[in-house]
Amino acid sequence: MSGIPNTRIRAALFTVPLVAVAALGTAAAPAAATTSPAARSLTCRGEGVAPHALVRYRTETVIHAPLRTIWKLQTDVERWPYWQDAVTTMKRLDHGPFRAGSAFRWTTPVPPNPTTPATSLKITSTVEQLRHHSCIRWTGPAVGEGLRIDGVHVWNFTRVKGGVRVSTEETHTGTEVEADVPTATKLLRQGLEAWLRDLKTAAESPAHNRSH
């Protein structure tokens, strides 16, 4: 793990449908990010996160870029390693348009923590529901040495004045994360906010927008 930059380690914490438990400092929130802990859970085609999960977090940000740009970044999963430091490998497991039933396998590093040793977490995600330019819901396990997390992750994309409000909510279940819910929730928060920050940076990049 000594060769992994600190920014990569911070981003690796619970970024995506399930990542790992690691005791690190607080990551900065993306610009304009807000949280709505009391709000109704996000859904996609009527399905949401795990209703009884003890570890859950929801956040959102406004991205000043076209919806088509943001959607392309989020759904072209094979290119995640180019704009997310936390994603070290990625393989799409199906072909054609990104749709319900699409699956992808990817890895992210996890530094040592009080519960588990340093490991590389292998995540297999399956898209359960999707509405084009509107929402995505995927599920799947993340497995590493001494660690398993089962996650449900929902994304909503809403056009607003000047851009798109991207909202995300995720739940984690599993023996290791449920053994320390406050820490697991904190790390989930760090991961989701890092993901939104990276997505915002990539989508608003002048170079990226010129290429699209």
Side-chain angles (χ1 to χ4, degrees):
M1 301 299 294
S2 60
I4 298 174
N6 289 337
T7 53
R8 172 168 290 178
I9 293 175
R10 285 198 299 271
L13 308 178
F14 286 97
T15 32
V16 277
L18 13 111
V19 189
V21 180
L24 294 179
T26 302
T34 60
T35 59
S36 305
R40 184 176 179 181
S41 287
L42 300 177
T43 62
C44 185
R45 293 189 175 274
E47 299 293 332
V49 293
H52 304 299
L54 300 178
V55 180
R56 60 178 60 234
Y57 192 70
R58 174 177 172 176
T59 188
E60 62 184 33
T61 192
V62 173
I63 299 178
H64 302 288
L67 177 55
R68 66 180 180 276
T69 298
I70 299 166
W71 184 262
K72 176 67 172 176
L73 283 165
Q74 188 75 330
T75 60
D76 189 1
V77 296
E78 290 181 306
R79 295 191 62 81
W80 281 3
Y82 292 95
W83 59 271
Q84 290 197 71
D85 283 342
V87 181
T88 53
T89 69
M90 167 64 76
K91 182 179 181 181
R92 176 85 181 266
L93 302 180
D94 66 316
H95 302 283
F98 192 76
R99 60 195 184 278
S102 289
F104 46 101
R105 182 172 295 122
W106 48 293
T107 58
T108 188
V110 182
N113 64 85
T115 305
T116 61
T119 186
S120 180
L121 202 62
K122 181 179 289 185
I123 305 162
T124 304
S125 303
T126 301
V127 178
E128 306 289 351
Q129 286 81 26
L130 180 146
R131 179 176 287 116
H132 187 67
H133 281 181
S134 177
C135 67
I136 312 168
R137 177 180 178 268
W138 61 60
T139 66
V143 180
E145 184 179 353
L147 175 64
R148 178 188 170 102
I149 304 168
D150 288 293
V152 182
H153 202 166
V154 180
W155 293 85
N156 284 184
F157 305 84
T158 308
R159 284 188 175 93
V160 295
K161 185 176 181 180
V164 177
R165 183 174 65 248
V166 180
S167 306
T168 186
E169 184 173 14
E170 186 169 2
T171 54
H172 288 170
T173 57
T175 301
E176 292 80 20
V177 293
E178 290 167 0
D180 187 351
V181 171
T183 297
T185 302
K186 174 185 176 182
L187 296 172
L188 175 58
R189 170 180 62 81
Q190 291 177 349
L192 291 182
E193 291 178 352
W195 193 333
L196 282 183
R197 184 174 64 249
D198 288 347
L199 180 60
K200 181 178 177 71
T201 297
E204 293 180 353
S205 165
H208 181 86
N209 282 293
R210 281 198 301 269
S211 67
H212 286 71

